[in-house]
Each structure stands twice: as C-alpha cells, then as structure tokens.
Amino acid sequence: MDRNRLHNQVASMRRSLFDQGYLDDQFIQLEELQDDTNPNFVQEVVTLFYNDSTRLIQNIEQALNSRPIDFCKLDDYMHQFKGSSSSIGAKKVTNECTAFREYCNAENAEGCIRSFQQVKQEHAILKRKLEVYLQTVTSFSNSMSCMETILSYIAYTIISSSLYIENMDKYGKLFGTTPQTELGVDKCLTTL
Amino acid sequence: MTPTLPSGDQASDQDNWDNGRLAHKRQLLTEIILRNRLTALVVDGDTTCRVLEQLLLHSYGVQTQGVDNGRDAIALIASGVKFNLIIIDMILSVLNGLEATRQIRDMGVHCKMLGVTACSGESERQAFLAAGVDVFIEKPLDPEHLVPILRELDGQ
C-alpha cells in the first residue's frame, strides 16, 4: 500500500536526518509542540527560521565585505544565527556558527570568511533535506486524511443500509413498493 | 488530523533509534500541571527563538508576552505589568540584555529572571549573572531546564 510505503519513507528520512547529525533532540521538541491546534507548527517554524536566517546571511556577507571588518557586529549577527539554528535543532549549522565565532573572537578575517562558507553550505543542505522531508510528511498526512474520508463514507453507507433494512416495512408503505425493487431502493437512499 | 510521525515508543525495532530519549522527553513535557496562573515575558530579538520560547511556556499553561528589544521590555515593566518570570537574551537591539537586566533589577523587580542566550563562555555567564539574572541557560531553552523552574514558581 502507498500509505505504508510513505510511512516507511518518513521514518527512514527522519532517522537519517538524526543519524547523519543534521538534526538533534531540539527538533523533537518542535514535533512535541505540534498538535491539533498547531498542526503545521514544524513547517511554520522551519519556514520562519529560513526567512530570518536568509536575511542574517545577507547582513553577515555585507559585514564581511566592509573594510575594516566590524568583528563586534559580526559576532552579534552570528550569535543570533547560532541561537535560532540551535532552537530548531539544526545541529551542523549550529556547530559551524560556533566555529565562526571562534574566528571572530580572534579577529581572524580569513578564518571568518572560510568558516562562513561552511555555515552557508550546511544551511543550504539542511534546507533542501527539510523541504523534502516535510513534503513527504505532508503527503503521508494527506493520505491518512484521504483514508479517513473513505472509511467514514464506508461506515456511513453500512449504517445507512442497516437502518434501511430495519425499516423495510415503513419504506415499502411510503413508496408503494417493496424495498427489494431497484426503484424502491434508489428512492429510499435518496430520502436518506 | 495531525499525522502520527514515527516515534520511538511506537516504532518497530528498525525505528528504535531514540526510544529511551524520546520517552524521557515526553515524560518531562507532561509531568507538570500548574496550580497557579503564571505569567512570563520573553525578551529576544530573534523571532524564531521568541516564538518557540513563548509556545513552550504556553504549552505549560503560562501566559506570555514577547518583545524583541531591551527598551520595550523596560517600558512594559515600567508601565506596571507584573511577571512571575522573565526570559531574556544577552544580545538585544536598542538596549542589550545585560543593561536591560540591570535596569529591571534597579526598578525593584525581584521576579525570576533567566538569561537564555547562544553565548556559552564562562565570562558571558558570569557577566549575565552579575547583571542580575538568576539562572544562565545556553540556548535552546528546553523542558529539562524550564520545568523545575516552573515547579518552583508554582510552589510545588
């Protein structure tokens, strides 16, 4: 079944994201905060992170291109970047931010520039992986909703048919025919 | 319906990679029920962090407000709004977290203050504690640090 395949796919992708060190326990925290009142919370927070961090990347690039380099400003930007990446459980991105800040504290411009390339790389890799993963989760969720709709319809049909059979005599008198005739059945089902 | 994601305590052996840790986390998340209505102020310039911290507090039944800079935090407290808990980042725009913390304490506010920041150095920790926070927590704020504090504030 497609649903089982999707379930296995979601599980495998999720395990891989943790095993390969892209995500840490904090991502589980996001999943725990997702519920019926916030059904898309994980997607929304990840989107929020990538919107904000893209702006931060632009600010950091500008700061790295300015002469002389303002290491205090750079450190503030990277502090914010590290804080938000750690808050969504982006483990590799956070580690690269930590490395960057060490170069920043040492006022090592070349080190900062090299390190920033790593930050951007990990940031982009995780974005692609999360997009695919969350899309698969959404597909799985939609397949569950579809199945629920189908099962609900089947249950409704069974219950309706049971009620019809219980009230055969009443319907027969109502439509002037025995319920077994096709015409009678159609009329009864339309009435329901 | 929120999809049921593969999780440790429902998974097959193949998925059992974090069984113990996930169960422990869930236990921590659900093991506190507040008897009193607590209020908290989150002061963080980063939207992602602020949203997450506010929602985490909200999930425990804490009423929260959020501001993104130190000046607005001072203004809110000066207006008379009382909080049981203030969570404040070190690096803030307009007025940084260290100075904002000092000013809040100088205003006679004695509530619990948590310095929650991405800085992890000992010098930053000492500076934040000296400014007036009660607890220094490296981001991200998680239930393991938060729940005992909420329990204390709730008198449990």
Side-chain angles (χ1 to χ4, degrees), chain A residues 68-87:
Chain A
I69 292 179
D70 185 340
F71 287 102
C72 275
K73 189 184 280 188
L74 261 182
D75 190 60
D76 284 356
Y77 286 141
M78 196 47 82
H79 170 273
Q80 188 173 340
F81 203 144
K82 184 185 171 189
S84 58
S85 65
S86 68
S87 293

Side-chain angles (χ1 to χ4, degrees), chain B residues 16 33 54 58 66 92 113 117 138 142 151:
Chain B
N16 243 356
I33 298 173
Q54 284 191 259
H58 180 77
L92 296 169
M113 287 187 74
T117 178
E138 188 181 348
D142 63 3
R151 201 174 276 123

Side-chain angles (χ1 to χ4, degrees), chain A residues 18-34:
Chain A
F18 283 92
D19 285 350
Q20 292 179 21
Y22 289 103
L23 296 176
D24 62 25
D25 284 355
Q26 181 61 19
F27 190 80
I28 300 173
Q29 180 67 59
L30 303 192
E31 292 174 327
E32 291 288 333
L33 287 172
Q34 180 163 293

Side-chain angles (χ1 to χ4, degrees), chain A residues 66-132:
Chain A
S66 63
R67 294 292 180 272
I69 292 179
D70 185 340
F71 287 102
C72 275
K73 189 184 280 188
L74 261 182
D75 190 60
D76 284 356
Y77 286 141
M78 196 47 82
H79 170 273
Q80 188 173 340
F81 203 144
K82 184 185 171 189
S84 58
S85 65
S86 68
S87 293
I88 70 155
K91 188 176 177 183
K92 286 195 182 192
V93 177
T94 304
N95 289 344
E96 293 302 338
C97 290
T98 302
F100 180 98
R101 292 188 78 205
E102 285 172 9
Y103 286 115
C104 207
N105 288 338
E107 298 195 358
N108 181 338
E110 269 188 40
C112 284
I113 291 167
R114 268 198 325 269
S115 182
F116 187 54
Q117 296 309 312
Q118 291 297 113
V119 170
K120 285 196 294 185
Q121 190 174 327
E122 291 299 339
H123 180 260
I125 290 171
L126 180 64
K127 183 177 183 186
R128 279 197 307 273
K129 286 183 179 289
L130 282 177
E131 273 171 358
V132 174

